[in-house]
Amino acid sequence: YFANSTLEGIARYRTIAPASEKQAIDNKEGEALFMRGFYLWHLEVLYGQPDLDGMGVPIILSVPKDLSAMSVPRATTRECYQAMINDFKQAAVLLEGQNDNHRATKWSAIAALAKTYLFAGKNDSAKIYLEECINNSGKSRVSFDNYKQMFNGDTKYEYNSESFYEVGNRAHP
């Protein structure tokens, strides 16, 4: 809902927005597309079937205007992956100028795209995007000493050189 309402709001605002806001609007649209794909991924993992022709989850690409618009049949797993691929591809283009490690970036979208292609059984496409991440993202593997601390709650190991995207789920007092 939030991703779709953001995307619809951005589409309306683009018609009157000053040119000076183009990059900021692109970043917000890219983030919304990334998050829609990101959460569709998690819904598919939790509730979809692994078989590409099996039942996936409903794909909702706009804000429902009434209750009947919420009655969306489940797509196939293949269709769900394709929806994610579409969102991540578009997000990668729109997030070109975004470089905040605490937000979705071009590289988080490309890494998610590679993972989605892999699960969709499109290994050749996955390889292209994985190689792009390895060769061009500026990311690098962390040392074993850092790696063994990354999942133990120590915040100095979060958002490191190996991370393409992290969700901070810690409540701040």
Side-chain angles (χ1 to χ4, degrees), residues 9-151:
I10 286 171
R12 285 190 304 271
Y13 183 64
R14 274 195 193 277
T15 63
I16 61 167
S20 62
E21 293 183 11
K22 182 185 181 328
Q23 185 64 54
I25 295 169
D26 284 353
N27 285 344
K28 291 297 176 203
E29 184 176 359
E31 288 176 2
L33 287 163
F34 176 82
M35 294 309 296
R36 185 169 70 183
F38 180 81
Y39 285 111
L40 185 55
W41 169 270
H42 287 284
L43 285 170
E44 180 61 32
V45 167
L46 289 170
Y47 302 109
Q49 296 175 333
D51 174 21
L52 290 175
D53 293 319
M55 279 195 301
V57 296
I59 300 171
I60 300 174
L61 301 178
S62 61
V63 176
K65 304 299 184 224
D66 56 34
L67 190 56
S68 66
M70 290 294 295
S71 298
V72 177
R74 290 175 72 156
T76 66
T77 296
R78 181 184 323 275
E79 291 167 330
C80 290
Y81 286 139
Q82 189 57 55
M84 291 176 232
I85 287 167
N86 295 344
D87 282 351
F88 292 141
K89 274 186 169 181
Q90 201 174 349
V93 172
L94 291 164
L95 291 168
E96 180 70 39
Q98 175 75 280
N99 58 10
D100 182 345
N101 281 343
H102 300 280
R103 304 186 81 80
T105 66
K106 166 188 173 177
W107 294 110
S108 52
I110 290 174
L113 181 59
K115 179 174 75 169
T116 306
Y117 271 129
L118 187 65
F119 277 76
K122 298 180 179 185
N123 296 342
D124 291 341
S125 295
K127 182 179 179 197
I128 290 167
Y129 289 102
L130 286 169
E131 286 177 346
E132 187 174 346
C133 287
I134 292 165
N135 297 327
N136 301 318
S137 69
K139 297 290 183 180
S140 61
R141 293 174 57 187
V142 297
S143 70
F144 178 74
D145 289 335
N146 283 6
Y147 183 79
K148 70 181 181 180
Q149 297 299 326
M150 284 169 45
F151 306 100

